[in-house]
Amino acid sequence: MKPRVLTILGATGTIGVNTLDVVARHPDRFEVFALTGATQVERMVEQCRTHRPRFAVMSEPAAAAALRARIAEEGLAVEVLEGAAALTEVATAPEVDTLMAAIVGAAGLPATLAAAQAGKRILLANKETLVVSGQLFMDAIAASGAELLPIDSEHNAIFQALPRDFGGDFQQAGVKALWLTASGGPFRTLSAAAIAAATPAQAVAHPNWVMGKKISVDSASLMNKGLEVIEARWLFNARPEKIKVVVHPQSIVHSMVEYADGSVIAQLGTPDMRTPIAYALGFPERIDAGVSALELMGRQLTFEAPDTARFPCLQLAFDALAAGGNAAAVLNAANEVAVARFLEGAASFNAIAASIAHALDKLAGGAAHTLDDLLEADRQARRVADAYLGQLRA
């Protein structure tokens, strides 16, 4: 069997590291063509030493220069590239058949969209690709014949629980609703006052998952689940009212599909991102992920409704989805700015939702026909959110 040739966007992040762990378990199945990162030079050196890609890309020029020096010291036959254009180059290279899209934030969108247009198999871990450019991205997938496999544990679970030949027609497949599970994050049981006073250290201390700081804060605010609702709308051609959210603190049931006959089919597993990564890498076969077996004996699984009063970001995401146009791009950009300011200690936790609501009020309703439209909405939302947070701080 010919190995699949991979480019991993965001190789130095959590998803990238876990992807390489699975790849290393199957050296006969996968060949690493390119790895990309932002600033983590030493981790990239280690990955290049272990996996011997043809290219390594750093989005930051200073990091690329440092990596070149380290690669030369090591005597590795790896060409170092830099910048956004290089991300697109390694994502769309003719040799590459599979792209792991795991860059956090809107920065990963252009290269991932280009890979879709080039007809690649895309393992999508970058939420923002579908949040910002849902219709545009899905149109590119359809036009090129690219293959799209979701990596988020929730969407991967739904993908596994849907019929194999599901084509987006809920009625034909007998699908009544999609249920996205949420852990509730570290603030699930806190009062509104305690949440308002939350620190970055508290927000990134997720009870179940090991994730990067930005996505951990999104989990604490439930914005992560809001972004997943928007993703699900595009991945599965789901009307917003067909997408439900349920809080499941144990993170054992990763999501569910409810059918017209009363059946609810769920995917369960140990909270480990290597499971959905391995499912997508090996699809349609199942391959070893290195994940420990799920132990159900003695476990209690509970479910509860999300509280959108304490966690307004979830409702803001539903509102943006209903508004359409550029609203989801505005929501995403404002959230990225607010989370960054919160992590810096320059904004309160509650300012995240407030700044998103402000940006939506100011900017939602604009055009979203082209990538340029969406990137302009992203730029404007960042400016508006940043100015609003500055006013709050003053």
Side-chain angles (χ1 to χ4, degrees):
M1 182 176 63
K2 185 181 177 183
R4 299 201 73 88
V5 180
L6 302 172
T7 283
I8 302 175
L9 301 182
T12 56
T14 304
I15 295 293
V17 169
N18 281 320
T19 300
L20 288 170
D21 181 86
V22 176
V23 165
R25 296 171 190 277
H26 305 276
D28 57 325
R29 283 180 171 266
F30 305 107
E31 175 188 329
V32 178
F33 178 81
L35 302 174
T36 86
T39 60
Q40 296 189 65
V41 173
E42 287 307 314
R43 178 170 285 180
M44 181 61 81
V45 171
E46 179 186 339
Q47 291 179 341
C48 288
R49 188 187 303 128
T50 302
H51 300 282
R52 305 298 172 112
R54 201 176 311 177
F55 296 97
V57 181
M58 301 302 280
S59 56
E60 298 297 327
L67 180 63
R68 280 193 193 95
R70 293 286 288 109
I71 291 293
E73 285 175 18
E74 296 268 343
L76 298 174
V78 178
E79 184 177 348
V80 178
L81 306 175
E82 65 185 71
L87 295 178
T88 297
E89 182 181 338
V90 298
T92 59
E95 299 93 330
V96 173
D97 53 53
T98 303
L99 177 75
M100 170 59 79
I103 294 176
V104 174
L109 170 56
T112 307
L113 180 58
Q117 292 165 337
K120 307 298 186 184
R121 171 182 273 198
I122 298 173
L123 315 186
L124 189 65
N126 171 278
K127 298 179 190 303
E128 292 77 13
T129 293
L130 283 176
V131 171
V132 174
S133 67
Q135 187 67 64
L136 195 68
F137 189 78
M138 296 309 293
D139 286 348
I141 292 284
S144 70
E147 192 175 9
L148 183 60
L149 300 172
I151 296 298
D152 268 351
S153 60
E154 295 81 1
H155 302 104
N156 191 273
I158 288 171
F159 184 72
Q160 293 190 49
L162 284 167
R164 178 61 65 83
D165 61 353
F166 179 73
D169 188 327
F170 273 46
Q171 186 171 0
Q172 184 182 51
V175 175
K176 187 175 180 182
L178 309 179
W179 286 86
L180 293 169
T181 57
S183 69
F187 302 157
R188 180 177 63 88
T189 61
L190 296 188
S191 67
I195 292 171
T199 67
Q202 290 173 311
V204 300
H206 196 281
N208 300 335
W209 296 94
V210 177
M211 305 185 292
K213 289 184 178 180
K214 193 269 182 182
I215 194 172
S216 295
V217 175
D218 284 349
S219 180
S221 70
L222 288 196
M223 177 53 85
N224 191 47
K225 208 53 48 181
L227 298 178
E228 288 173 7
V229 166
I230 298 171
E231 277 189 282
R233 181 266 174 271
W234 297 110
L235 279 170
F236 307 114
N237 194 37
R239 297 199 308 273
E241 67 271 16
K242 297 292 187 181
I243 307 169
K244 313 294 184 183
V245 174
V246 60
V247 175
H248 168 54
Q250 296 80 23
S251 296
I252 296 299
V253 176
H254 297 303
S255 277
M256 302 169 279
V257 177
E258 180 182 358
Y259 286 90
D261 62 2
S263 299
V264 177
I265 297 180
Q267 186 264 334
L268 286 70
T270 303
D272 190 318
M273 283 306 299
R274 289 177 297 175
T275 295
I277 289 168
Y279 184 77
L281 279 171
F283 186 80
E285 298 177 55
R286 290 183 183 268
I287 62 176
D288 175 41
V291 176
S292 57
L294 175 62
E295 179 55 68
L296 283 175
M297 299 306 173
R299 292 247 192 190
Q300 185 179 29
L301 305 183
T302 60
F303 302 89
E304 58 197 56
D307 183 346
T308 54
R310 285 185 302 139
F311 301 101
C313 284
L314 178 59
Q315 186 58 53
L316 287 170
F318 273 104
D319 293 345
L321 185 56
N326 70 348
V330 170
L331 170 106
N332 177 73
N335 179 63
E336 285 190 20
V337 169
V339 169
R341 297 295 172 270
F342 170 70
L343 286 169
E344 293 165 1
S348 70
F349 188 78
N350 281 1
I352 296 173
S355 62
I356 295 166
H358 175 75
L360 285 171
D361 184 57
K362 290 287 186 183
L363 299 172
H369 304 302
T370 68
L371 180 58
D372 285 343
D373 289 339
L374 296 166
L375 293 177
E376 179 59 24
D378 180 275
R379 284 190 289 270
Q380 290 187 23
R382 289 173 192 277
R383 176 181 52 78
V384 167
D386 208 27
Y388 179 80
L389 290 165
Q391 291 170 4
L392 287 184
R393 195 176 184 195

